[in-house]
Amino acid sequence: MEPVLSVKGLGKSYVRNRFSGARTLGDGHANLFSRRKDGGGKETFWALRDISFDVMPGEVLGILGSNGAGKSTLLKILSRITAPTTGEAILRGRVGSLLEVGTGFHEELTGRENIYLNGTILGMTRSEITQKLDEIVDFSGVAPFLDTPVKRYSSGMVTRLAFAVAANLEPEILIVDEVLAVGDVAFQKKCLGKMKDVTSEGRTVLFVSHNIGSVRQLCTRGLYLKQGELLLDSPDIDEAVFQYMHSGATELAAQWHSEPEPVSFDCFTPRAFYLADADGNVLDRPAFADEEIQVHLEYHEQAGSNVAAGFEVSDAVGNVIFWSYNSDDYRFAQTANLEERHEYTTLPVNCLNSGEYTLTLVAGIHGQRSLLPVRESTIKLRLEVEGNKQRATHLGQRRASIIAPILYWREAN
Amino acid sequence: MSTQVISAAKQMNLFFRLQEAWRFRNVLLTLAGREIKIRYKQAFLGLLWVLLQPLTTALVYAVIFGVFARFQAGEGVPYPVFALVGTLFWQLFARSLSAGSTSLVSNAGLLGKVYFPRVYLLLAPMLVAVFDFFLAFVVLIGGSFFIFGLPVSIGLLVIPFLALWTILFAFSLSLVLAPLNGLYRDVGLTIPLLTQLYMFATPVMYPPSIVPERFAWIVDGNPAATLMALSRWAVLGTDCPPVYAIALLLGIPLFFIAVGFRVFFRIENTIVDRI
């Protein structure tokens, strides 16, 4: 089978004016009249560099990368909005693209007029559009406002209409950039469903979104771009997601070691504090909500001091999710009078929501005093929870709640 | 299934561009239709504006130059009709030039969202202008023929060609000015001023006979002036411009088109990055 899209050595550079944004001759004349070879006052910036990949019909490509990685530039080139500086791309089939919000709508025209305008620009004939009109109107849900100028629409309505036109064009290649960010949850679901339909018909989708949940749910393959370069092209979307998530690691890590300088809090001297996967290996990647995540703690305690050590789990916005002490579980019988200890526990499976968490080490002696209060503790770990492998597909997105436990449901009789 | 090649290496050749233009032909009509709709959407007087604009302008010229200054348009030529023909053609030219040269900037939103041959953004408002022109021409010139009892001549058949050549001239200039305006907004700001100066240099409101003999070459070398002279010759039977003036009228826009397309094609693929 022939690839529906072949990209070879694609690159795009911009010439940036140091006089930022030359808008009038006065600003730009230095460049206009002094065409020096060294490009005085100019610098070349590569938004994309040597990108190559092939896409087969029916593939759903998720393009990942942080802001400025070149995702939108890539989609713009493939939509022929702007030309590449190097390389080429061969597209076999009609391309429907939805770049950001409000694809080429005109404010003064009504919804209906805009559907025709947009449809023609996307390459449909008038009769094709008329055929599809009901479907488009139905999908977008703007039927009562079809003959109202688009300037009176809410931004959500504009997006819905734009998506409806692009998706119902039946393009061989559908390019979608970050449109789901605006719609409400119901519409996002509808869009995802539509994109699934599109792919099940053997069409190809290129999808950019910062919503990792929907990327993982929809895409069969992932590209990970970083600073204009294609770092990873993986047939496993999860791998690409991991790469992407991992790259954004902050100063907090998944492990903490006391070396080279041991720190001591009275009779409690932590040695190591780290996250591990089910096999006990350090977890230096995002975790799934339904996988076993271990929290290991190695410390030294003065014999007989009866230290209770544990951690606080808080989320990215500072909600304290829960605390846990090694003394919580009565079944856990610590070996008495051991000085060097290595203990671990397992975080509740299917409980944490997607997101970033901070684990803060705490210690104290129950009923007496705090050794390492949470406010003073700088021993912190970062845990990234991303999606859920086993969860029902419609739950691909983050729940609007602090935790997202999966409860066990069964028939009543 | 159509195959498209997006490439940095090779410039699209003319054949390919024509193919593209044909494939996207609906876009031109839709864009032009859009312009017409938008213009009349919130205008109470609607189509009446198309008639009022040239009519009032021509009446002012007729009063100032025909009545006050007593310019002679020619034997048996009523000055109001003389001014009206000039005004209609000049407004067609000026509107096409102004809309064409600012079209890339004013449609920057569309440029950044969808692909189609960019040249249609220039052409669409000109189609609208020529549509308005014919409407106004038929009503106003027809009306004045009736009022002044002028003889209908076979020369009127030339008018459509002159109108098309007028927008071709405006189009040829816009091919260079539109991308330039994208890079430097000064261009867009300067065009109304230059257009006005150009109007005074062109016998629109005054007859070419008042230009002194030693400046006659300026009039003859000016394609717009030749267009004015030819249109009045066609409608009113005034003097036909010299052959070399007609040759320049045919040659200059074609030269600008050749240059303009080279500039435009070079820049159209990346203009969106710089607007």
Side-chain angles (χ1 to χ4, degrees), chain A residues 153-177:
Chain A
Y153 282 30
S154 68
S155 60
M157 284 160 74
V158 173
T159 315
R160 292 207 299 269
L161 193 58
F163 184 88
V165 175
N168 284 300
L169 163 69
E170 302 193 343
E172 271 84 28
I173 305 165
L174 178 64
I175 294 178
V176 180
D177 186 6

Short mmCIF file of all heavy atoms in Angstrom, two decimals, chain A residues 153-177:
data_model
loop_
_atom_site.label_atom_id
_atom_site.label_comp_id
_atom_site.label_asym_id
_atom_site.label_seq_id
_atom_site.Cartn_x
_atom_site.Cartn_y
_atom_site.Cartn_z
N TYR A 153 -22.30 34.50 16.94
CA TYR A 153 -22.09 33.17 17.51
C TYR A 153 -21.16 33.25 18.72
O TYR A 153 -20.30 34.13 18.79
CB TYR A 153 -21.43 32.23 16.49
CG TYR A 153 -22.35 31.67 15.43
CD1 TYR A 153 -23.47 32.36 14.99
CD2 TYR A 153 -22.07 30.43 14.86
CE1 TYR A 153 -24.28 31.84 14.01
CE2 TYR A 153 -22.88 29.90 13.87
CZ TYR A 153 -23.99 30.61 13.45
OH TYR A 153 -24.78 30.09 12.47
N SER A 154 -21.30 32.29 19.61
CA SER A 154 -20.31 32.16 20.67
C SER A 154 -19.10 31.46 20.07
O SER A 154 -19.20 30.84 19.01
CB SER A 154 -20.88 31.33 21.81
OG SER A 154 -21.04 29.99 21.38
N SER A 155 -17.96 31.56 20.75
CA SER A 155 -16.76 30.95 20.21
C SER A 155 -16.92 29.44 20.09
O SER A 155 -16.40 28.81 19.18
CB SER A 155 -15.55 31.31 21.06
OG SER A 155 -15.74 30.83 22.37
N GLY A 156 -17.67 28.87 21.03
CA GLY A 156 -17.91 27.44 20.96
C GLY A 156 -18.69 27.05 19.71
O GLY A 156 -18.39 26.06 19.07
N MET A 157 -19.68 27.87 19.36
CA MET A 157 -20.49 27.57 18.18
C MET A 157 -19.64 27.65 16.92
O MET A 157 -19.76 26.83 16.01
CB MET A 157 -21.65 28.55 18.08
CG MET A 157 -22.79 28.26 19.04
SD MET A 157 -23.83 29.71 19.29
CE MET A 157 -24.73 29.77 17.75
N VAL A 158 -18.77 28.65 16.87
CA VAL A 158 -17.90 28.81 15.70
C VAL A 158 -17.02 27.57 15.54
O VAL A 158 -16.90 27.00 14.45
CB VAL A 158 -17.02 30.08 15.83
CG1 VAL A 158 -16.00 30.14 14.71
CG2 VAL A 158 -17.90 31.31 15.82
N THR A 159 -16.44 27.13 16.65
CA THR A 159 -15.57 25.97 16.60
C THR A 159 -16.34 24.73 16.17
O THR A 159 -15.86 23.94 15.35
CB THR A 159 -14.96 25.70 17.98
OG1 THR A 159 -14.50 26.93 18.51
CG2 THR A 159 -13.81 24.74 17.87
N ARG A 160 -17.52 24.58 16.72
CA ARG A 160 -18.32 23.40 16.37
C ARG A 160 -18.61 23.38 14.88
O ARG A 160 -18.49 22.35 14.22
CB ARG A 160 -19.63 23.40 17.16
CG ARG A 160 -19.46 23.20 18.64
CD ARG A 160 -20.67 22.57 19.26
NE ARG A 160 -21.88 23.37 19.12
CZ ARG A 160 -22.27 24.27 20.03
NH1 ARG A 160 -21.55 24.49 21.09
NH2 ARG A 160 -23.39 24.95 19.85
N LEU A 161 -18.97 24.56 14.38
CA LEU A 161 -19.31 24.63 12.96
C LEU A 161 -18.07 24.35 12.11
O LEU A 161 -18.13 23.59 11.13
CB LEU A 161 -19.87 26.03 12.64
CG LEU A 161 -20.54 26.17 11.29
CD1 LEU A 161 -21.69 25.18 11.16
CD2 LEU A 161 -21.06 27.58 11.10
N ALA A 162 -16.95 24.94 12.50
CA ALA A 162 -15.72 24.73 11.73
C ALA A 162 -15.33 23.26 11.72
O ALA A 162 -14.97 22.70 10.68
CB ALA A 162 -14.58 25.57 12.32
N PHE A 163 -15.44 22.63 12.88
CA PHE A 163 -15.09 21.22 12.95
C PHE A 163 -16.04 20.40 12.09
O PHE A 163 -15.63 19.50 11.35
CB PHE A 163 -15.12 20.72 14.39
CG PHE A 163 -14.68 19.30 14.53
CD1 PHE A 163 -13.34 19.01 14.70
CD2 PHE A 163 -15.58 18.27 14.45
CE1 PHE A 163 -12.91 17.70 14.80
CE2 PHE A 163 -15.17 16.95 14.54
CZ PHE A 163 -13.83 16.67 14.72
N ALA A 164 -17.32 20.74 12.16
CA ALA A 164 -18.32 19.99 11.41
C ALA A 164 -18.04 20.05 9.91
O ALA A 164 -18.12 19.05 9.21
CB ALA A 164 -19.71 20.53 11.71
N VAL A 165 -17.68 21.24 9.43
CA VAL A 165 -17.40 21.38 8.00
C VAL A 165 -16.17 20.55 7.62
O VAL A 165 -16.20 19.76 6.68
CB VAL A 165 -17.19 22.86 7.61
CG1 VAL A 165 -16.78 22.98 6.16
CG2 VAL A 165 -18.45 23.66 7.85
N ALA A 166 -15.10 20.72 8.38
CA ALA A 166 -13.85 20.03 8.04
C ALA A 166 -14.02 18.51 8.11
O ALA A 166 -13.53 17.79 7.25
CB ALA A 166 -12.73 20.48 8.96
N ALA A 167 -14.73 18.03 9.12
CA ALA A 167 -14.82 16.59 9.30
C ALA A 167 -15.79 15.95 8.32
O ALA A 167 -15.63 14.79 7.96
CB ALA A 167 -15.23 16.27 10.73
N ASN A 168 -16.81 16.70 7.89
CA ASN A 168 -17.78 16.12 6.98
C ASN A 168 -17.39 16.26 5.52
O ASN A 168 -18.11 15.82 4.64
CB ASN A 168 -19.16 16.75 7.22
CG ASN A 168 -19.79 16.18 8.47
OD1 ASN A 168 -20.01 14.99 8.57
ND2 ASN A 168 -20.03 17.04 9.44
N LEU A 169 -16.27 16.88 5.29
CA LEU A 169 -15.77 17.03 3.93
C LEU A 169 -15.30 15.68 3.40
O LEU A 169 -15.14 15.51 2.20
CB LEU A 169 -14.62 18.05 3.94
CG LEU A 169 -13.67 18.13 2.78
CD1 LEU A 169 -14.41 18.67 1.57
CD2 LEU A 169 -12.53 19.07 3.12
N GLU A 170 -15.16 14.70 4.29
CA GLU A 170 -14.64 13.40 3.93
C GLU A 170 -13.27 13.50 3.25
O GLU A 170 -13.08 13.04 2.13
CB GLU A 170 -15.62 12.66 3.02
CG GLU A 170 -16.96 12.49 3.69
CD GLU A 170 -17.86 11.49 2.98
OE1 GLU A 170 -17.57 11.18 1.82
OE2 GLU A 170 -18.81 11.04 3.61
N PRO A 171 -12.34 14.15 3.91
CA PRO A 171 -11.02 14.26 3.33
C PRO A 171 -10.27 12.94 3.50
O PRO A 171 -10.56 12.19 4.42
CB PRO A 171 -10.36 15.36 4.16
CG PRO A 171 -11.03 15.29 5.47
CD PRO A 171 -12.41 14.74 5.25
N GLU A 172 -9.34 12.69 2.61
CA GLU A 172 -8.50 11.50 2.80
C GLU A 172 -7.57 11.72 3.98
O GLU A 172 -7.17 10.80 4.66
CB GLU A 172 -7.69 11.22 1.53
CG GLU A 172 -8.40 10.33 0.53
CD GLU A 172 -9.34 11.11 -0.38
OE1 GLU A 172 -9.08 12.30 -0.60
OE2 GLU A 172 -10.35 10.54 -0.84
N ILE A 173 -7.21 12.99 4.15
CA ILE A 173 -6.32 13.33 5.26
C ILE A 173 -6.97 14.46 6.06
O ILE A 173 -7.26 15.52 5.51
CB ILE A 173 -4.95 13.80 4.75
CG1 ILE A 173 -4.33 12.75 3.83
CG2 ILE A 173 -4.02 14.12 5.90
CD1 ILE A 173 -3.17 13.27 3.01
N LEU A 174 -7.22 14.20 7.33
CA LEU A 174 -7.81 15.24 8.17
C LEU A 174 -6.75 15.76 9.14
O LEU A 174 -6.13 14.98 9.87
CB LEU A 174 -9.00 14.67 8.94
CG LEU A 174 -9.73 15.60 9.91
CD1 LEU A 174 -10.38 16.76 9.16
CD2 LEU A 174 -10.79 14.87 10.69
N ILE A 175 -6.54 17.05 9.11
CA ILE A 175 -5.53 17.66 9.96
C ILE A 175 -6.23 18.49 11.02
O ILE A 175 -6.99 19.40 10.69
CB ILE A 175 -4.57 18.54 9.12
CG1 ILE A 175 -3.78 17.66 8.16
CG2 ILE A 175 -3.65 19.34 10.01
CD1 ILE A 175 -2.85 18.43 7.25
N VAL A 176 -6.01 18.16 12.26
CA VAL A 176 -6.72 18.83 13.35
C VAL A 176 -5.72 19.36 14.37
O VAL A 176 -4.95 18.61 14.94
CB VAL A 176 -7.70 17.86 14.04
CG1 VAL A 176 -8.42 18.57 15.16
CG2 VAL A 176 -8.71 17.31 13.05
N ASP A 177 -5.74 20.66 14.55
CA ASP A 177 -4.77 21.28 15.46
C ASP A 177 -5.48 21.91 16.64
O ASP A 177 -6.09 22.97 16.49
CB ASP A 177 -3.95 22.32 14.69
CG ASP A 177 -2.83 22.89 15.55
OD1 ASP A 177 -2.64 22.41 16.68
OD2 ASP A 177 -2.15 23.83 15.09
#
